Amino acid sequence: MSASYWRQVQEADFEVPADRPLDDLTAELTRMLGSNDPVVRDGTAYPALATWTSRGVYDDLLSGLGDGMAAGLTVGLGEPESDSVFRRSFSVLVLGECVARDNAAGLVPPGKVMEWGDRIFTWYVRERDLRGYVPGKGWAHAIAHGADAIGTLAESPHLGKTELTVLLDVLADRITLPAEAQFVHGEPDRMAAATLNVLRRNLYLQLALAPNPPAVRSDLLLVLVDALRRTNPYYLTTGE
């Protein structure tokens, strides 16, 4: 469809158009997630899919939508720097929205959420395009977006201690992998926020009381927590 069509959808507060089947609209938006035009990708496709998911438009189709986003994580995987990163990076954002919707409404079986988590983990440690902002094409930000999705997974009631520990392992594996350039676009902060989401699930207490607790002084931990709160107010506070 033309840009004017989707502009009208935006201006209508992303109300679902009644002139086309939802399946067709979703397929087009999914293709648009891979666009190298940030207006198409960030400004239209992602907010439309995220809004419809959070509003319950896909409640009866959530498993299928999530599976489609999980499939997008394999598109061009392994390429160091190409436009295929946009499809992967924004697919994981929408997949995170699917998990968030299930967290709120309990719409898919626990095994499906676990499957989505496995797909995210596999992609996250294999992603080779680590660019944050791509001049002329906008945000790729695969590492940050993946961390956001992992942080949402950490809030799933389907995950227990074992699965939450896997989340920490994945984040640790990702940040210790060799990289040609430093993360300078907020990726470490997003990964830290995801880690805190895991620890909020009572893992922090279990770590502190373990027979061999981490060798971290409590005063230094408090300094770190204070710094994270000051530098990441959006991620570390809840809105009203």
Side-chain angles (χ1 to χ4, degrees):
M1 298 298 291
S2 65
S4 62
Y5 179 89
W6 289 110
R7 187 162 52 249
Q8 291 174 4
V9 174
Q10 287 178 288
E11 292 170 352
D13 192 30
F14 289 105
E15 287 294 321
V16 181
D19 61 339
R20 296 178 61 196
L22 181 60
D23 285 352
D24 291 352
L25 293 168
T26 303
E28 182 169 345
L29 288 169
T30 299
R31 289 191 296 271
M32 292 164 62
L33 287 177
S35 173
N36 61 13
D37 183 342
V39 174
V40 173
R41 182 183 68 252
D42 301 36
T44 304
Y46 170 65
L49 289 167
T51 299
W52 293 354
T53 300
S54 66
R55 289 178 181 173
V57 172
Y58 291 113
D59 279 1
D60 294 334
L61 307 166
L62 197 62
S63 289
L65 178 64
D67 288 348
M69 294 302 116
L73 300 179
T74 66
V75 175
L77 183 60
E79 298 174 357
E81 289 190 5
S82 76
D83 287 349
S84 67
V85 68
F86 297 115
R87 175 67 184 277
R88 299 190 300 275
S89 182
F90 283 82
S91 290
V92 82
L93 276 185
V94 179
L95 185 51
E97 297 289 345
C98 293
V99 174
R101 182 60 183 165
D102 180 71
N103 291 349
L107 298 169
V108 301
K112 178 56 67 177
V113 176
M114 301 296 187
E115 179 187 333
W116 290 343
D118 287 342
R119 301 287 291 275
I120 292 171
F121 304 155
T122 300
W123 158 73
Y124 199 51
V125 296
R126 293 179 59 197
E127 180 59 60
R128 292 295 175 264
D129 194 331
L130 309 183
R131 292 174 295 172
Y133 188 81
V134 182
K137 299 178 181 180
W139 291 101
H141 236 188
I143 301 305
H145 291 179
D148 293 346
I150 290 173
T152 302
L153 272 169
E155 299 172 349
S156 171
H158 303 310
L159 273 64
K161 179 181 176 181
T162 300
E163 293 79 19
L164 292 168
T165 302
V166 171
L167 265 62
L168 292 178
D169 288 341
V170 170
L171 288 166
D173 287 345
R174 178 67 265 182
I175 205 164
T176 56
L177 283 171
E180 294 182 359
Q182 293 183 333
F183 294 135
V184 295
H185 294 287
E187 296 91 345
D189 290 341
R190 305 277 271 274
M191 297 172 82
T195 301
L196 287 176
N197 273 8
V198 178
L199 297 180
R200 288 191 183 108
R201 293 286 302 275
N202 291 328
L203 276 184
Y204 173 76
L205 184 60
Q206 293 172 17
L207 288 172
L209 299 180
N212 297 299
V216 178
R217 285 172 26 211
S218 59
D219 56 337
L220 293 181
L221 183 60
L222 290 174
V223 171
L224 174 60
V225 170
D226 181 65
L228 286 169
R229 283 192 178 125
R230 286 186 286 103
T231 58
N232 298 273
Y234 179 81
Y235 298 105
L236 303 178
T237 59
T238 55
E240 297 181 356

PDB file of all heavy atoms in Angstrom, residues 8-41:
ATOM      1  N   GLN A   8      -2.524   7.611   7.089  1.00  0.00           N
ATOM      2  CA  GLN A   8      -3.899   7.747   7.580  1.00  0.00           C
ATOM      3  C   GLN A   8      -4.151   6.844   8.785  1.00  0.00           C
ATOM      4  O   GLN A   8      -4.866   7.214   9.722  1.00  0.00           O
ATOM      5  CB  GLN A   8      -4.891   7.419   6.462  1.00  0.00           C
ATOM      6  CG  GLN A   8      -4.919   8.454   5.350  1.00  0.00           C
ATOM      7  CD  GLN A   8      -5.808   8.033   4.198  1.00  0.00           C
ATOM      8  OE1 GLN A   8      -6.472   6.998   4.246  1.00  0.00           O
ATOM      9  NE2 GLN A   8      -5.820   8.831   3.142  1.00  0.00           N
ATOM     10  N   VAL A   9      -3.540   5.647   8.762  1.00  0.00           N
ATOM     11  CA  VAL A   9      -3.672   4.739   9.902  1.00  0.00           C
ATOM     12  C   VAL A   9      -3.037   5.373  11.145  1.00  0.00           C
ATOM     13  O   VAL A   9      -3.608   5.326  12.247  1.00  0.00           O
ATOM     14  CB  VAL A   9      -3.014   3.382   9.594  1.00  0.00           C
ATOM     15  CG1 VAL A   9      -3.007   2.482  10.834  1.00  0.00           C
ATOM     16  CG2 VAL A   9      -3.746   2.692   8.445  1.00  0.00           C
ATOM     17  N   GLN A  10      -1.861   5.962  10.966  1.00  0.00           N
ATOM     18  CA  GLN A  10      -1.201   6.636  12.087  1.00  0.00           C
ATOM     19  C   GLN A  10      -2.069   7.775  12.617  1.00  0.00           C
ATOM     20  O   GLN A  10      -2.242   7.917  13.839  1.00  0.00           O
ATOM     21  CB  GLN A  10       0.142   7.207  11.645  1.00  0.00           C
ATOM     22  CG  GLN A  10       1.222   6.165  11.416  1.00  0.00           C
ATOM     23  CD  GLN A  10       2.500   6.824  10.929  1.00  0.00           C
ATOM     24  OE1 GLN A  10       2.587   7.273   9.793  1.00  0.00           O
ATOM     25  NE2 GLN A  10       3.490   6.882  11.792  1.00  0.00           N
ATOM     26  N   GLU A  11      -2.590   8.575  11.725  1.00  0.00           N
ATOM     27  CA  GLU A  11      -3.390   9.729  12.139  1.00  0.00           C
ATOM     28  C   GLU A  11      -4.682   9.311  12.830  1.00  0.00           C
ATOM     29  O   GLU A  11      -5.254  10.086  13.604  1.00  0.00           O
ATOM     30  CB  GLU A  11      -3.698  10.600  10.914  1.00  0.00           C
ATOM     31  CG  GLU A  11      -2.444  11.285  10.347  1.00  0.00           C
ATOM     32  CD  GLU A  11      -2.700  11.955   9.012  1.00  0.00           C
ATOM     33  OE1 GLU A  11      -3.819  11.758   8.456  1.00  0.00           O
ATOM     34  OE2 GLU A  11      -1.807  12.668   8.515  1.00  0.00           O
ATOM     35  N   ALA A  12      -5.120   8.091  12.571  1.00  0.00           N
ATOM     36  CA  ALA A  12      -6.322   7.559  13.227  1.00  0.00           C
ATOM     37  C   ALA A  12      -5.967   6.786  14.496  1.00  0.00           C
ATOM     38  O   ALA A  12      -6.748   5.930  14.949  1.00  0.00           O
ATOM     39  CB  ALA A  12      -7.084   6.658  12.262  1.00  0.00           C
ATOM     40  N   ASP A  13      -4.812   7.091  15.077  1.00  0.00           N
ATOM     41  CA  ASP A  13      -4.357   6.440  16.313  1.00  0.00           C
ATOM     42  C   ASP A  13      -4.247   4.933  16.147  1.00  0.00           C
ATOM     43  O   ASP A  13      -4.554   4.166  17.044  1.00  0.00           O
ATOM     44  CB  ASP A  13      -5.301   6.779  17.468  1.00  0.00           C
ATOM     45  CG  ASP A  13      -4.725   6.366  18.822  1.00  0.00           C
ATOM     46  OD1 ASP A  13      -3.485   6.365  18.962  1.00  0.00           O
ATOM     47  OD2 ASP A  13      -5.523   6.025  19.716  1.00  0.00           O
ATOM     48  N   PHE A  14      -3.809   4.526  14.973  1.00  0.00           N
ATOM     49  CA  PHE A  14      -3.574   3.113  14.661  1.00  0.00           C
ATOM     50  C   PHE A  14      -4.817   2.237  14.852  1.00  0.00           C
ATOM     51  O   PHE A  14      -4.706   1.073  15.247  1.00  0.00           O
ATOM     52  CB  PHE A  14      -2.396   2.555  15.474  1.00  0.00           C
ATOM     53  CG  PHE A  14      -1.070   3.095  15.036  1.00  0.00           C
ATOM     54  CD1 PHE A  14      -0.410   4.055  15.811  1.00  0.00           C
ATOM     55  CD2 PHE A  14      -0.480   2.687  13.846  1.00  0.00           C
ATOM     56  CE1 PHE A  14       0.815   4.570  15.402  1.00  0.00           C
ATOM     57  CE2 PHE A  14       0.744   3.194  13.438  1.00  0.00           C
ATOM     58  CZ  PHE A  14       1.392   4.139  14.214  1.00  0.00           C
ATOM     59  N   GLU A  15      -5.962   2.795  14.550  1.00  0.00           N
ATOM     60  CA  GLU A  15      -7.155   1.950  14.475  1.00  0.00           C
ATOM     61  C   GLU A  15      -6.972   0.959  13.328  1.00  0.00           C
ATOM     62  O   GLU A  15      -6.435   1.302  12.275  1.00  0.00           O
ATOM     63  CB  GLU A  15      -8.406   2.799  14.229  1.00  0.00           C
ATOM     64  CG  GLU A  15      -8.850   3.605  15.442  1.00  0.00           C
ATOM     65  CD  GLU A  15      -9.325   2.708  16.572  1.00  0.00           C
ATOM     66  OE1 GLU A  15      -9.994   1.686  16.277  1.00  0.00           O
ATOM     67  OE2 GLU A  15      -9.011   3.018  17.744  1.00  0.00           O
ATOM     68  N   VAL A  16      -7.417  -0.269  13.528  1.00  0.00           N
ATOM     69  CA  VAL A  16      -7.240  -1.291  12.496  1.00  0.00           C
ATOM     70  C   VAL A  16      -8.132  -0.963  11.303  1.00  0.00           C
ATOM     71  O   VAL A  16      -9.357  -0.834  11.463  1.00  0.00           O
ATOM     72  CB  VAL A  16      -7.594  -2.689  13.038  1.00  0.00           C
ATOM     73  CG1 VAL A  16      -7.383  -3.741  11.951  1.00  0.00           C
ATOM     74  CG2 VAL A  16      -6.764  -3.018  14.268  1.00  0.00           C
ATOM     75  N   PRO A  17      -7.562  -0.792  10.111  1.00  0.00           N
ATOM     76  CA  PRO A  17      -8.391  -0.487   8.935  1.00  0.00           C
ATOM     77  C   PRO A  17      -9.402  -1.600   8.671  1.00  0.00           C
ATOM     78  O   PRO A  17      -9.119  -2.784   8.869  1.00  0.00           O
ATOM     79  CB  PRO A  17      -7.367  -0.402   7.791  1.00  0.00           C
ATOM     80  CG  PRO A  17      -6.063  -0.107   8.468  1.00  0.00           C
ATOM     81  CD  PRO A  17      -6.122  -0.815   9.786  1.00  0.00           C
ATOM     82  N   ALA A  18     -10.576  -1.194   8.246  1.00  0.00           N
ATOM     83  CA  ALA A  18     -11.644  -2.170   7.992  1.00  0.00           C
ATOM     84  C   ALA A  18     -11.726  -2.574   6.527  1.00  0.00           C
ATOM     85  O   ALA A  18     -12.529  -3.444   6.170  1.00  0.00           O
ATOM     86  CB  ALA A  18     -12.986  -1.588   8.437  1.00  0.00           C
ATOM     87  N   ASP A  19     -10.880  -1.971   5.670  1.00  0.00           N
ATOM     88  CA  ASP A  19     -11.002  -2.224   4.239  1.00  0.00           C
ATOM     89  C   ASP A  19     -10.137  -3.369   3.748  1.00  0.00           C
ATOM     90  O   ASP A  19     -10.182  -3.725   2.569  1.00  0.00           O
ATOM     91  CB  ASP A  19     -10.665  -0.946   3.455  1.00  0.00           C
ATOM     92  CG  ASP A  19      -9.236  -0.469   3.704  1.00  0.00           C
ATOM     93  OD1 ASP A  19      -8.658  -0.853   4.744  1.00  0.00           O
ATOM     94  OD2 ASP A  19      -8.708   0.279   2.868  1.00  0.00           O
ATOM     95  N   ARG A  20      -9.328  -3.962   4.645  1.00  0.00           N
ATOM     96  CA  ARG A  20      -8.458  -5.074   4.242  1.00  0.00           C
ATOM     97  C   ARG A  20      -8.429  -6.122   5.340  1.00  0.00           C
ATOM     98  O   ARG A  20      -8.557  -5.790   6.529  1.00  0.00           O
ATOM     99  CB  ARG A  20      -7.029  -4.568   3.994  1.00  0.00           C
ATOM    100  CG  ARG A  20      -6.892  -3.591   2.845  1.00  0.00           C
ATOM    101  CD  ARG A  20      -5.449  -3.128   2.724  1.00  0.00           C
ATOM    102  NE  ARG A  20      -4.532  -4.236   2.447  1.00  0.00           N
ATOM    103  CZ  ARG A  20      -3.209  -4.146   2.602  1.00  0.00           C
ATOM    104  NH1 ARG A  20      -2.671  -3.035   3.058  1.00  0.00           N
ATOM    105  NH2 ARG A  20      -2.438  -5.179   2.321  1.00  0.00           N
ATOM    106  N   PRO A  21      -8.240  -7.387   4.984  1.00  0.00           N
ATOM    107  CA  PRO A  21      -8.150  -8.437   6.013  1.00  0.00           C
ATOM    108  C   PRO A  21      -6.951  -8.203   6.923  1.00  0.00           C
ATOM    109  O   PRO A  21      -5.897  -7.728   6.482  1.00  0.00           O
ATOM    110  CB  PRO A  21      -7.977  -9.721   5.195  1.00  0.00           C
ATOM    111  CG  PRO A  21      -8.480  -9.390   3.824  1.00  0.00           C
ATOM    112  CD  PRO A  21      -8.165  -7.942   3.603  1.00  0.00           C
ATOM    113  N   LEU A  22      -7.108  -8.561   8.185  1.00  0.00           N
ATOM    114  CA  LEU A  22      -6.024  -8.389   9.146  1.00  0.00           C
ATOM    115  C   LEU A  22      -4.784  -9.180   8.728  1.00  0.00           C
ATOM    116  O   LEU A  22      -3.657  -8.708   8.910  1.00  0.00           O
ATOM    117  CB  LEU A  22      -6.485  -8.839  10.537  1.00  0.00           C
ATOM    118  CG  LEU A  22      -5.458  -8.706  11.674  1.00  0.00           C
ATOM    119  CD1 LEU A  22      -5.029  -7.257  11.855  1.00  0.00           C
ATOM    120  CD2 LEU A  22      -6.032  -9.270  12.971  1.00  0.00           C
ATOM    121  N   ASP A  23      -4.973 -10.351   8.164  1.00  0.00           N
ATOM    122  CA  ASP A  23      -3.829 -11.154   7.719  1.00  0.00           C
ATOM    123  C   ASP A  23      -2.991 -10.406   6.697  1.00  0.00           C
ATOM    124  O   ASP A  23      -1.751 -10.435   6.744  1.00  0.00           O
ATOM    125  CB  ASP A  23      -4.294 -12.484   7.130  1.00  0.00           C
ATOM    126  CG  ASP A  23      -4.746 -13.462   8.196  1.00  0.00           C
ATOM    127  OD1 ASP A  23      -4.565 -13.171   9.394  1.00  0.00           O
ATOM    128  OD2 ASP A  23      -5.295 -14.513   7.826  1.00  0.00           O
ATOM    129  N   ASP A  24      -3.663  -9.734   5.758  1.00  0.00           N
ATOM    130  CA  ASP A  24      -2.936  -8.997   4.725  1.00  0.00           C
ATOM    131  C   ASP A  24      -2.193  -7.806   5.320  1.00  0.00           C
ATOM    132  O   ASP A  24      -1.033  -7.531   4.953  1.00  0.00           O
ATOM    133  CB  ASP A  24      -3.903  -8.507   3.641  1.00  0.00           C
ATOM    134  CG  ASP A  24      -4.474  -9.644   2.797  1.00  0.00           C
ATOM    135  OD1 ASP A  24      -3.993 -10.790   2.955  1.00  0.00           O
ATOM    136  OD2 ASP A  24      -5.394  -9.392   2.008  1.00  0.00           O
ATOM    137  N   LEU A  25      -2.850  -7.109   6.233  1.00  0.00           N
ATOM    138  CA  LEU A  25      -2.213  -5.967   6.879  1.00  0.00           C
ATOM    139  C   LEU A  25      -0.980  -6.413   7.669  1.00  0.00           C
ATOM    140  O   LEU A  25       0.078  -5.780   7.611  1.00  0.00           O
ATOM    141  CB  LEU A  25      -3.207  -5.281   7.824  1.00  0.00           C
ATOM    142  CG  LEU A  25      -4.413  -4.593   7.176  1.00  0.00           C
ATOM    143  CD1 LEU A  25      -5.443  -4.239   8.239  1.00  0.00           C
ATOM    144  CD2 LEU A  25      -3.977  -3.340   6.421  1.00  0.00           C
ATOM    145  N   THR A  26      -1.113  -7.519   8.372  1.00  0.00           N
ATOM    146  CA  THR A  26      -0.012  -8.022   9.187  1.00  0.00           C
ATOM    147  C   THR A  26       1.160  -8.455   8.322  1.00  0.00           C
ATOM    148  O   THR A  26       2.329  -8.177   8.645  1.00  0.00           O
ATOM    149  CB  THR A  26      -0.488  -9.204  10.050  1.00  0.00           C
ATOM    150  OG1 THR A  26      -1.597  -8.779  10.856  1.00  0.00           O
ATOM    151  CG2 THR A  26       0.627  -9.711  10.945  1.00  0.00           C
ATOM    152  N   ALA A  27       0.867  -9.122   7.223  1.00  0.00           N
ATOM    153  CA  ALA A  27       1.939  -9.554   6.321  1.00  0.00           C
ATOM    154  C   ALA A  27       2.692  -8.357   5.764  1.00  0.00           C
ATOM    155  O   ALA A  27       3.936  -8.382   5.664  1.00  0.00           O
ATOM    156  CB  ALA A  27       1.350 -10.395   5.191  1.00  0.00           C
ATOM    157  N   GLU A  28       1.962  -7.310   5.414  1.00  0.00           N
ATOM    158  CA  GLU A  28       2.629  -6.126   4.876  1.00  0.00           C
ATOM    159  C   GLU A  28       3.468  -5.434   5.945  1.00  0.00           C
ATOM    160  O   GLU A  28       4.616  -5.035   5.696  1.00  0.00           O
ATOM    161  CB  GLU A  28       1.607  -5.149   4.309  1.00  0.00           C
ATOM    162  CG  GLU A  28       2.246  -3.915   3.691  1.00  0.00           C
ATOM    163  CD  GLU A  28       1.268  -3.073   2.896  1.00  0.00           C
ATOM    164  OE1 GLU A  28       0.171  -3.562   2.573  1.00  0.00           O
ATOM    165  OE2 GLU A  28       1.618  -1.920   2.597  1.00  0.00           O
ATOM    166  N   LEU A  29       2.926  -5.305   7.137  1.00  0.00           N
ATOM    167  CA  LEU A  29       3.677  -4.673   8.219  1.00  0.00           C
ATOM    168  C   LEU A  29       4.926  -5.480   8.569  1.00  0.00           C
ATOM    169  O   LEU A  29       5.975  -4.919   8.884  1.00  0.00           O
ATOM    170  CB  LEU A  29       2.785  -4.525   9.454  1.00  0.00           C
ATOM    171  CG  LEU A  29       1.686  -3.467   9.349  1.00  0.00           C
ATOM    172  CD1 LEU A  29       0.714  -3.608  10.522  1.00  0.00           C
ATOM    173  CD2 LEU A  29       2.272  -2.057   9.325  1.00  0.00           C
ATOM    174  N   THR A  30       4.826  -6.795   8.511  1.00  0.00           N
ATOM    175  CA  THR A  30       5.982  -7.649   8.787  1.00  0.00           C
ATOM    176  C   THR A  30       7.086  -7.405   7.774  1.00  0.00           C
ATOM    177  O   THR A  30       8.277  -7.327   8.128  1.00  0.00           O
ATOM    178  CB  THR A  30       5.565  -9.124   8.796  1.00  0.00           C
ATOM    179  OG1 THR A  30       4.586  -9.339   9.818  1.00  0.00           O
ATOM    180  CG2 THR A  30       6.758 -10.035   9.041  1.00  0.00           C
ATOM    181  N   ARG A  31       6.715  -7.281   6.506  1.00  0.00           N
ATOM    182  CA  ARG A  31       7.712  -6.961   5.484  1.00  0.00           C
ATOM    183  C   ARG A  31       8.332  -5.588   5.747  1.00  0.00           C
ATOM    184  O   ARG A  31       9.542  -5.394   5.579  1.00  0.00           O
ATOM    185  CB  ARG A  31       7.083  -6.996   4.087  1.00  0.00           C
ATOM    186  CG  ARG A  31       6.729  -8.390   3.596  1.00  0.00           C
ATOM    187  CD  ARG A  31       6.377  -8.372   2.122  1.00  0.00           C
ATOM    188  NE  ARG A  31       5.181  -7.579   1.849  1.00  0.00           N
ATOM    189  CZ  ARG A  31       3.944  -8.056   1.874  1.00  0.00           C
ATOM    190  NH1 ARG A  31       3.726  -9.329   2.183  1.00  0.00           N
ATOM    191  NH2 ARG A  31       2.917  -7.274   1.593  1.00  0.00           N
ATOM    192  N   MET A  32       7.507  -4.665   6.192  1.00  0.00           N
ATOM    193  CA  MET A  32       7.979  -3.304   6.445  1.00  0.00           C
ATOM    194  C   MET A  32       8.959  -3.235   7.614  1.00  0.00           C
ATOM    195  O   MET A  32       9.762  -2.305   7.706  1.00  0.00           O
ATOM    196  CB  MET A  32       6.779  -2.381   6.693  1.00  0.00           C
ATOM    197  CG  MET A  32       5.922  -2.154   5.454  1.00  0.00           C
ATOM    198  SD  MET A  32       4.272  -1.470   5.827  1.00  0.00           S
ATOM    199  CE  MET A  32       4.688   0.109   6.564  1.00  0.00           C
ATOM    200  N   LEU A  33       8.913  -4.220   8.513  1.00  0.00           N
ATOM    201  CA  LEU A  33       9.877  -4.245   9.617  1.00  0.00           C
ATOM    202  C   LEU A  33      11.308  -4.322   9.106  1.00  0.00           C
ATOM    203  O   LEU A  33      12.240  -3.908   9.795  1.00  0.00           O
ATOM    204  CB  LEU A  33       9.614  -5.444  10.533  1.00  0.00           C
ATOM    205  CG  LEU A  33       8.403  -5.408  11.457  1.00  0.00           C
ATOM    206  CD1 LEU A  33       8.287  -6.717  12.207  1.00  0.00           C
ATOM    207  CD2 LEU A  33       8.490  -4.236  12.439  1.00  0.00           C
ATOM    208  N   GLY A  34      11.495  -4.878   7.924  1.00  0.00           N
ATOM    209  CA  GLY A  34      12.828  -5.013   7.353  1.00  0.00           C
ATOM    210  C   GLY A  34      13.247  -3.859   6.472  1.00  0.00           C
ATOM    211  O   GLY A  34      14.321  -3.909   5.862  1.00  0.00           O
ATOM    212  N   SER A  35      12.445  -2.809   6.406  1.00  0.00           N
ATOM    213  CA  SER A  35      12.776  -1.662   5.554  1.00  0.00           C
ATOM    214  C   SER A  35      14.003  -0.931   6.088  1.00  0.00           C
ATOM    215  O   SER A  35      14.213  -0.832   7.298  1.00  0.00           O
ATOM    216  CB  SER A  35      11.588  -0.696   5.496  1.00  0.00           C
ATOM    217  OG  SER A  35      11.940   0.491   4.812  1.00  0.00           O
ATOM    218  N   ASN A  36      14.794  -0.375   5.167  1.00  0.00           N
ATOM    219  CA  ASN A  36      15.928   0.453   5.601  1.00  0.00           C
ATOM    220  C   ASN A  36      15.533   1.919   5.743  1.00  0.00           C
ATOM    221  O   ASN A  36      16.373   2.784   5.960  1.00  0.00           O
ATOM    222  CB  ASN A  36      17.118   0.311   4.652  1.00  0.00           C
ATOM    223  CG  ASN A  36      16.797   0.750   3.235  1.00  0.00           C
ATOM    224  OD1 ASN A  36      15.773   1.377   2.962  1.00  0.00           O
ATOM    225  ND2 ASN A  36      17.677   0.415   2.305  1.00  0.00           N
ATOM    226  N   ASP A  37      14.240   2.183   5.634  1.00  0.00           N
ATOM    227  CA  ASP A  37      13.701   3.534   5.831  1.00  0.00           C
ATOM    228  C   ASP A  37      13.131   3.605   7.251  1.00  0.00           C
ATOM    229  O   ASP A  37      12.160   2.910   7.570  1.00  0.00           O
ATOM    230  CB  ASP A  37      12.605   3.814   4.810  1.00  0.00           C
ATOM    231  CG  ASP A  37      12.051   5.229   4.906  1.00  0.00           C
ATOM    232  OD1 ASP A  37      12.248   5.890   5.946  1.00  0.00           O
ATOM    233  OD2 ASP A  37      11.377   5.667   3.955  1.00  0.00           O
ATOM    234  N   PRO A  38      13.711   4.428   8.130  1.00  0.00           N
ATOM    235  CA  PRO A  38      13.229   4.469   9.517  1.00  0.00           C
ATOM    236  C   PRO A  38      11.788   4.946   9.650  1.00  0.00           C
ATOM    237  O   PRO A  38      11.114   4.585  10.618  1.00  0.00           O
ATOM    238  CB  PRO A  38      14.206   5.426  10.205  1.00  0.00           C
ATOM    239  CG  PRO A  38      14.782   6.254   9.103  1.00  0.00           C
ATOM    240  CD  PRO A  38      14.836   5.357   7.910  1.00  0.00           C
ATOM    241  N   VAL A  39      11.316   5.739   8.709  1.00  0.00           N
ATOM    242  CA  VAL A  39       9.922   6.187   8.768  1.00  0.00           C
ATOM    243  C   VAL A  39       8.981   4.999   8.568  1.00  0.00           C
ATOM    244  O   VAL A  39       7.963   4.852   9.249  1.00  0.00           O
ATOM    245  CB  VAL A  39       9.658   7.276   7.708  1.00  0.00           C
ATOM    246  CG1 VAL A  39       8.182   7.637   7.672  1.00  0.00           C
ATOM    247  CG2 VAL A  39      10.506   8.514   7.999  1.00  0.00           C
ATOM    248  N   VAL A  40       9.338   4.128   7.641  1.00  0.00           N
ATOM    249  CA  VAL A  40       8.528   2.935   7.374  1.00  0.00           C
ATOM    250  C   VAL A  40       8.636   1.940   8.522  1.00  0.00           C
ATOM    251  O   VAL A  40       7.638   1.396   8.993  1.00  0.00           O
ATOM    252  CB  VAL A  40       8.978   2.274   6.048  1.00  0.00           C
ATOM    253  CG1 VAL A  40       8.276   0.938   5.849  1.00  0.00           C
ATOM    254  CG2 VAL A  40       8.706   3.208   4.876  1.00  0.00           C
ATOM    255  N   ARG A  41       9.845   1.723   8.980  1.00  0.00           N
ATOM    256  CA  ARG A  41      10.127   0.682   9.977  1.00  0.00           C
ATOM    257  C   ARG A  41       9.759   1.136  11.386  1.00  0.00           C
ATOM    258  O   ARG A  41       8.911   0.539  12.048  1.00  0.00           O
ATOM    259  CB  ARG A  41      11.612   0.327   9.896  1.00  0.00           C
ATOM    260  CG  ARG A  41      12.067  -0.762  10.824  1.00  0.00           C
ATOM    261  CD  ARG A  41      13.575  -0.960  10.695  1.00  0.00           C
ATOM    262  NE  ARG A  41      14.347   0.171  11.189  1.00  0.00           N
ATOM    263  CZ  ARG A  41      15.011   1.026  10.414  1.00  0.00           C
ATOM    264  NH1 ARG A  41      15.025   0.890   9.099  1.00  0.00           N
ATOM    265  NH2 ARG A  41      15.684   2.035  10.941  1.00  0.00           N
TER     266      ARG A  41
END
